[in-house]
């Protein structure tokens, strides 16, 4: 039996998420056929031109937009941003940040700072005992 005969496949939506791309912006042949792990690895190591263009110019899915703006996905939702954004749109927001973006960036920074504080507190508590650290 050849290894390709039972190759694991994933839905195009899953493959797009793993590649960090917006599925509706991909070519029709990508959207309409399952992707094997080998094909996904090939796309990662030697991306075709359409994938390079999507990584460079977008449109990007919400999680990528949020990361590029330095805010959370929830922050995008609170701001009413529901569509994917291109690099030009993201750059425009970063160049002239609206009030909601400034507020969400501050909020996100506070959340990250608090998460670090809790993590450090937990590490100190564990160091004070003889319990081994949790494996996250």
């Amino acid at each position: 039996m050849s290894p390709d005969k039972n190759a694991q496949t994933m839905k195009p939506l899953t493959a797009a998420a793993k590649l960090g791309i917006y599925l509706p912006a991909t070519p029709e042949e990508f959207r309409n056929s399952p992707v094997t792990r080998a094909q996904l690895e090939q796309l990662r190591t030697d991306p075709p031109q359409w994938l390079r263009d999507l990584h460079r110019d977008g449109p990007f899915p919400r999680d990528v937009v949020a990361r590029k703006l330095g805010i959370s996905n929830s922050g995008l939702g609170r701001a009413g941003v529901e569509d994917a954004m291109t690099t030009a749109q993201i750059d425009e927001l970063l160049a002239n940040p609206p009030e909601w973006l400034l507020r969400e960036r501050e909020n996100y920074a506070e959340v990250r700072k608090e998460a670090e504080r809790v993590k450090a507190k937990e590490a100190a508590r564990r160091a004070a005992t003889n319990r081994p650290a949790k494996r996250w």
Side-chain angles (χ1 to χ4, degrees):
M1 190 183 303
S2 74
D4 290 345
K5 206 162 197 122
N6 290 329
Q8 269 189 316
T9 61
M10 62 191 83
K11 294 178 181 176
L13 181 61
T14 304
K18 289 180 180 284
L19 292 169
I21 57 175
Y22 186 57
L23 183 62
T26 61
E28 189 172 339
E29 63 269 8
F30 181 85
R31 281 180 276 158
N32 295 331
S33 60
V35 179
T36 65
R37 291 185 183 273
Q39 289 170 326
L40 180 67
E41 190 56 35
Q42 177 68 27
L43 288 170
R44 284 181 174 152
T45 57
D46 186 24
Q49 187 61 45
W50 64 265
L51 184 55
R52 286 192 294 256
D53 293 343
L54 282 177
H55 278 142
R56 184 183 63 243
D57 302 326
F60 299 103
R62 284 177 57 102
D63 61 326
V64 175
V65 171
R67 189 174 60 243
K68 287 178 177 276
L69 291 175
I71 61 174
S72 66
N73 275 335
S74 299
L76 282 176
R78 284 189 293 271
V81 177
E82 296 183 14
D83 295 333
M85 298 178 101
T86 64
T87 299
Q89 293 168 316
I90 293 169
D91 289 345
E92 175 63 30
L93 281 175
L94 291 173
N96 302 308
E99 180 61 36
W100 66 264
L101 180 57
L102 297 174
R103 188 175 53 250
E104 289 299 334
R105 290 177 109 186
E106 288 174 12
N107 184 33
Y108 191 59
E110 288 175 21
V111 168
R112 284 193 321 237
K113 191 185 301 183
E114 178 64 12
E116 277 298 314
R117 186 193 67 77
V118 169
K119 186 177 177 182
K121 180 180 175 184
E122 179 66 16
R125 186 184 69 76
R126 287 200 175 275
T129 68
N130 60 355
R131 294 177 66 186
K134 283 187 177 179
R135 294 182 186 211
W136 305 105

